[in-house]
Amino acid sequence: MADQNPDSARRQKLAALLRARQAPAGQAIPHRCPGSVAPLSFAQARLWFLDQLVPDSPFYNVPFGIRIPGALDPATVQAALIAIAARHEALRTTIAMVDGQPVQQIHNDPQVPLETHDLTGLPPAEAAERVAALALEHGTRPFDLRHGPLVRAAVARLGPADSLFLLAMHHIVSDGWSLGVLAREFQVLYAAATGGPAVDLPPLPIQYADFAAWQRQRHARGGLAADLDYWTTQLADLPVLDLPTDYPRPAVQSFSGATLVRLLPRDLADRITALARSERTTVFTLLYAGFIALLHRYTGQDDIVIGEPVANRNRLELEPLIGFFVNSLVLRTSVAGNPSFRSLLDRARATILAADAHQDLPFELLVEALHPERTMGRNPLFQVSLQFFADAGATETSPTETSPTETSPTETGTFAPVEIEKGTASLDLAFDIHETADGFQMRIEFSTDLFRAATIEAMATHYAQLLGALVGDPERTITAVPLGEAKPVPAVGSPAANNAAPPLPHLRFMQQASATPDAVALDDGEARLTYAELDTRSDRIAAALVAAGAGAETIIGLHLGRSIGFVTAALGIWKAGAALLALDPALP
């Protein structure tokens, strides 16, 4: 297995060069003072806060499962996991309150609960159902941050030479890269305990709590000021990406979601890779440029903002650790002027390199500094994300971080990863693209509060169409490619579908406004409104209604005759999530 994602490795090297020009080389992260309180990292503090808002939720579980062609010994499995927890303080950490503040409480006694299940003798269909149900229950069972432990495992015997291994951790002590660290150490320790060569794992340079303390001290001493200056300038007057949705956005996210898996075929993947090489850029940059071109086509907006989760392990001492290091970068690129795809690639490259060079600033500090309008209905700063993994299955061996639902970076060989569909989505839309032998596999996690599966299916098809055309002719402008009928791209697995009724009228209007913003929408003989103007006016009405308390279950009477004003107000009422009651002005 490759130890590094080549595409992201190149980005990291370029970003390191930029950082080197801006600041002297940093000192190694020191050990914290013995006996001192271990603070939460900024990322941990965010997850602790979210857990207080929505306790006992599986949103931030990190599950992993594989089927292994062999018999696993439960006692040896547990011994190996306990040895790993003894090495990594994060796996024996819970969250405690000290003087009213949450801190890391590191326990001396490592505990990794292990469940055992015997599913032998079941018919194949029933066995498959039991495996899926067991993986789902194990991966989505809530963790107790205060009492822990925050890691658990399960082994199921499926046959004489067929085993299921499940692992789940809370994101507050782990991330996808950590799954790779744990998997590699587990393979070594388990093999040694079952007749393989004896090994001594190298000592860890620091522990996660050392990083958290250093991160806090660095911020207090102004070490992140340059990064903060860059981001506050780059993200000033940040727009909201206004994707057309199938359902009105709820006032409070339920985090209900589903995952659609589709494939960009090998031929297209090879052409994307070849163009990236010829343009002296990365595959991610090219996929990002195509993605923002797609979002421009869907929204009509020129200022496109998305997120990119990154592993944030740009120091050697952080690479062998288990812990929650992931950070989120906000990528903002203008597509104004209907540029050619090659020109958009140049803009995308500049955005990504600058973001990578300033990736040390925790996302939580950026949100605090920018003071965006906070709502329980959407993620702050960005609602859509994109990430790329250059090696199949090597989800976390690179500086690019996955969502909590991703599998580990272990080399699977004859192992079969177990898909764990948690039924959740932390963002409106998250495109995770993995390179496989068959092409680029797209795992699209989407909010079922907002989208039907059919809508996401069409979006995946349009993305493939757009990439194919623009890669074939990079001098074409990004709007010159017609987005034709969304014929399905090859499926990989079955999505959890939410096939409800067709979109509501105002949502269909919003889709049309995005497609033809300058076309005339209303004309009463005296005045005209384009789709963009009508969309803006109805948005203002919707905002005023929501501020006045309108929403679901609210009925709003509209006392107007046939007019531009009636249509504008009706759209505003529907956008606010309320019901329209038309009142005839001719009646008393």
Side-chain angles (χ1 to χ4, degrees):
M1 175 187 67
D3 287 333
Q4 186 130 54
N5 177 324
D7 187 77
S8 294
R10 182 178 178 188
R11 286 178 52 199
Q12 189 177 36
K13 290 177 182 177
L14 291 170
L17 289 173
L18 290 177
R19 282 194 298 271
R21 294 178 181 176
Q22 295 168 357
Q27 298 295 318
I29 297 174
H31 293 278
R32 70 186 190 284
C33 297
S36 61
V37 172
L40 300 186
S41 68
F42 291 108
Q44 283 184 315
R46 173 170 57 89
L47 287 199
W48 175 85
F49 174 74
L50 293 173
D51 185 76
Q52 304 307 296
L53 285 178
V54 188
D56 299 326
S57 75
F59 304 149
Y60 292 100
N61 287 10
V62 183
F64 168 63
I66 53 173
R67 289 186 68 164
I68 300 173
L72 286 175
D73 176 60
T76 307
V77 168
Q78 187 163 42
L81 292 172
I82 287 177
I84 295 169
R87 276 174 54 79
H88 296 272
E89 289 181 354
L91 295 183
R92 41 193 171 89
T93 294
T94 56
I95 310 302
M97 298 298 293
V98 174
D99 297 329
Q101 295 296 319
V103 299
Q104 298 185 65
Q105 183 174 11
I106 301 166
H107 303 270
N108 293 324
D109 181 24
Q111 296 183 22
V112 181
L114 179 71
E115 304 166 8
T116 58
H117 304 267
D118 189 349
L119 305 182
T120 57
L122 296 177
E126 184 178 350
E129 291 179 1
R130 292 287 300 276
V131 165
L134 180 60
L136 177 64
E137 191 283 328
H138 187 266
T140 58
R141 192 188 316 151
F143 287 98
D144 184 336
L145 297 188
R146 182 179 291 272
H147 299 103
L150 302 183
V151 56
R152 59 173 174 260
V155 171
R157 184 183 178 195
L158 307 178
D162 190 9
S163 300
L164 174 68
F165 175 64
L166 298 173
L167 185 73
M169 297 179 280
H170 195 281
H171 216 343
I172 206 166
V173 297
S174 178
D175 54 20
W177 182 308
S178 298
L179 278 176
V181 174
L182 191 150
R184 288 191 293 272
E185 294 189 0
F186 174 80
Q187 288 174 343
V188 169
L189 293 172
Y190 187 88
T194 53
V199 294
D200 289 321
L201 293 173
L204 298 174
I206 58 172
Q207 294 286 343
Y208 182 79
D210 299 326
F211 162 79
W214 168 81
Q215 184 189 56
R216 295 276 179 176
Q217 293 166 3
R218 186 183 181 199
H219 173 54
R221 295 169 181 167
L224 299 172
D227 290 333
L228 183 60
D229 287 345
Y230 165 78
W231 285 113
T232 52
T233 301
Q234 170 70 6
L235 303 182
D237 300 319
L238 196 68
V240 173
L241 188 68
D242 192 17
L243 269 177
T245 60
D246 295 314
Y247 313 112
R249 182 178 297 276
V252 179
Q253 286 177 285
S254 75
F255 297 100
S256 297
T259 301
L260 194 75
V261 183
R262 292 294 181 266
L263 187 71
L264 298 176
R266 184 73 260 170
D267 172 66
L268 176 56
D270 288 342
R271 290 191 290 125
I272 289 171
T273 302
L275 180 60
R277 186 179 299 115
S278 68
E279 295 294 320
R280 302 182 62 82
T281 190
T282 64
V283 171
F284 174 76
T285 302
L286 194 146
L287 291 171
Y288 168 65
F291 192 60
I292 60 176
L294 176 75
L295 295 176
H296 168 69
R297 298 289 295 273
Y298 265 69
T299 65
Q301 294 173 256
D302 289 338
D303 194 354
I304 304 296
V305 179
I306 70 167
E308 183 203 4
V310 293
N312 198 33
R313 301 200 188 214
N314 48 13
R315 291 172 174 264
L316 289 176
E317 61 264 46
L318 303 181
E319 293 185 1
L321 301 187
I322 290 175
F324 182 29
F325 294 93
V326 62
N327 197 17
S328 295
L329 303 184
V330 185
L331 304 181
R332 180 183 191 179
T333 302
S334 171
V335 297
N338 192 24
S340 69
F341 188 57
R342 180 167 278 119
S343 175
L344 185 58
L345 271 177
D346 291 337
R347 300 183 193 183
R349 181 190 295 109
T351 295
I352 291 168
L353 286 176
D356 284 348
H358 298 89
Q359 68 175 272
D360 285 349
L361 184 73
F363 180 74
E364 296 72 26
L365 291 181
L366 179 58
V367 173
E368 181 181 312
L370 292 177
H371 297 297
E373 180 181 354
R374 301 304 296 267
T375 169
M376 296 294 289
R378 68 173 81 235
N379 190 65
L381 305 189
F382 65 87
Q383 298 79 45
V384 174
S385 70
L386 174 73
Q387 49 192 330
F388 172 68
F389 309 102
D391 294 315
T395 317
E396 296 301 333
T397 56
S398 75
T400 306
E401 161 66 12
T402 65
S403 67
T405 60
E406 288 309 312
T407 56
S408 92
T410 57
E411 183 177 9
T412 57
T414 57
F415 297 169
V418 175
E419 294 291 337
I420 302 175
E421 171 61 78
K422 295 196 303 179
T424 62
S426 57
L427 297 172
D428 294 357
L429 192 63
F431 270 63
D432 293 347
I433 303 177
H434 302 255
E435 185 173 21
T436 72
D438 297 323
F440 290 162
Q441 183 187 104
M442 298 185 291
R443 293 180 54 86
I444 309 170
E445 183 182 273
F446 61 96
S447 168
T448 51
D449 286 342
L450 301 175
F451 301 105
R452 295 181 300 136
T455 299
I456 305 305
E457 173 81 57
M459 181 177 288
T461 299
H462 288 152
Y463 186 38
Q465 291 174 346
L466 198 60
L467 281 172
L470 294 175
V471 168
D473 182 4
E475 291 303 327
R476 292 181 80 173
T477 62
I478 60 175
T479 61
V481 180
L483 296 183
E485 181 182 354
K487 298 178 181 179
V489 292
V492 184
S494 299
N498 182 3
N499 293 308
L504 299 172
H506 67 290
L507 298 176
R508 297 176 66 182
F509 163 78
M510 291 164 65
Q511 292 174 334
Q512 186 65 37
S514 295
T516 59
D518 296 327
V520 175
L522 293 177
D523 184 346
D524 67 358
E526 296 181 358
R528 288 183 175 184
L529 285 183
T530 65
Y531 277 97
E533 292 168 337
L534 180 55
D535 198 29
T536 299
R537 292 191 184 187
S538 58
D539 279 346
R540 291 172 185 161
I541 292 174
L545 291 174
V546 170
E553 307 301 325
T554 303
I555 299 175
I556 298 177
L558 184 55
H559 191 259
L560 283 173
R562 288 170 58 93
S563 63
I564 286 179
F566 181 92
V567 177
T568 306
L571 286 170
I573 291 170
W574 288 329
K575 286 182 177 183
L580 166 65
L581 175 61
L583 303 174
D584 188 345
L587 296 177

